Every structure is written in structure tokens, then in C-alpha cells.
Amino acid sequence: MRVAKGLLGLLLAMPLLASAEEIGQVSTVFKFVGPNDRIVVEAFDDPKVEGVTCYLSRAKTGGVKGGLGLAEDRAEASIACRQVGPISFKGELKDGEEVFKERTSLVFKTMQVVRFLDKKRNTLVYLVYSDRLIEGSPQNAVTAIPILPWTHAQ
């Protein structure tokens, strides 16, 4: 019981992160057994910035290990975030705040998206990168959205 309460407390203390919705995928390498290697395109809305959606493309390893969730995905990812409505903030934004995180190996590797606010240029900047428990990867991608008034087309 004590362990269950501890886990529940840990989950409640974790920051609110976005969850991704798969938009589509393409096969890149045919595998005889298990799913093919592929590139997946996903979308997620920034949980603290209403009116912003980010699109992520990344490699997913197939085969038997990939089908069982045991394969390690590559570190490469691409990101494009866009204003999709009027921008408003749900609370205070912190530079480098994690807005999305997904496991890319069984235990030690994750892909994450963090947000920065460039106040001087009135722009939101999103960075995607992959890290490991012991050794991270310098591969990354960045996108920026100027905070502009939203004009509703009639």
C-alpha cells in the first residue's frame, strides 16, 4: 500500500506533458518478421500554450524487437510547430520547460521537446532532442513561432 501511495504521489508531482496523436507513417525498410522500419508523423498541442500545435517526424525501428517494444529508435527527429488559433498562456512559462517526452528504447533513451520564450523577439522556440541515461546525442531540431494576433478568416 505504501508503494502504491508513493507511485501515485510521484505521478501527481510530474509535470503535465502533451500526448501525441499519430498523423501518418511511411515504411522505410521491409522486415520479413515484425513491422517494417518506418517514419512516423505525430502531432501534439502544447499543454501550456493554447493555439500552438507541434508536428514531429521520427524514425521507428521495426522487426521483432521493434514489434515487442524492445528496439532502440534512432536519435534523429524533426519538428515544426505552428500557430493554429489565438495564442494564450495557461500559467507561467519556464525556459527549457519540457512539453513532450517519449521513450525511444526499453529503458535508457528518450526523445523530448522543450520550449523557450524569446521575449526580445516575442517568439516561442521549440527544441527536439534525444538523450540517454549515460550518453546523449547532439542531434536536434528547432522551430520557432512568432506570437502574432490571430485573424479569423470569414
Side-chain angles (χ1 to χ4, degrees), residues 1 4 9 38 45 64 72 84 104 119 136 140 145 153:
M1 186 67 170
R38 60 200 184 281
D45 297 325
V64 174
E72 183 172 303
V84 295
T104 53
K119 290 180 183 177
N140 63 81
I145 305 171

Side-chain angles (χ1 to χ4, degrees), residues 107-125:
V107 179
F108 300 111
K109 190 174 177 184
T110 61
M111 181 197 56
Q112 45 208 322
V113 176
V114 294
R115 175 196 341 96
F116 298 92
L117 176 59
D118 180 352
K119 290 180 183 177
K120 180 179 177 182
R121 294 166 191 84
N122 201 33
T123 300
L124 292 165
V125 180

Side-chain angles (χ1 to χ4, degrees), residues 5 7 14 17 20 42 69 73 89 102 114 116 120 125 135 153:
K5 286 182 181 179
L7 286 174
M14 288 178 62
L17 296 179
E42 300 169 312
D73 294 333
F89 303 113
E102 190 163 294
V114 294
F116 298 92
K120 180 179 177 182
V125 180
E135 178 185 336

Side-chain angles (χ1 to χ4, degrees), residues 133-154:
L133 187 61
I134 296 175
E135 178 185 336
S137 169
Q139 296 176 358
N140 63 81
V142 68
T143 187
I145 305 171
I147 301 171
L148 301 171
W150 183 256
T151 55
H152 182 68
Q154 302 265 341

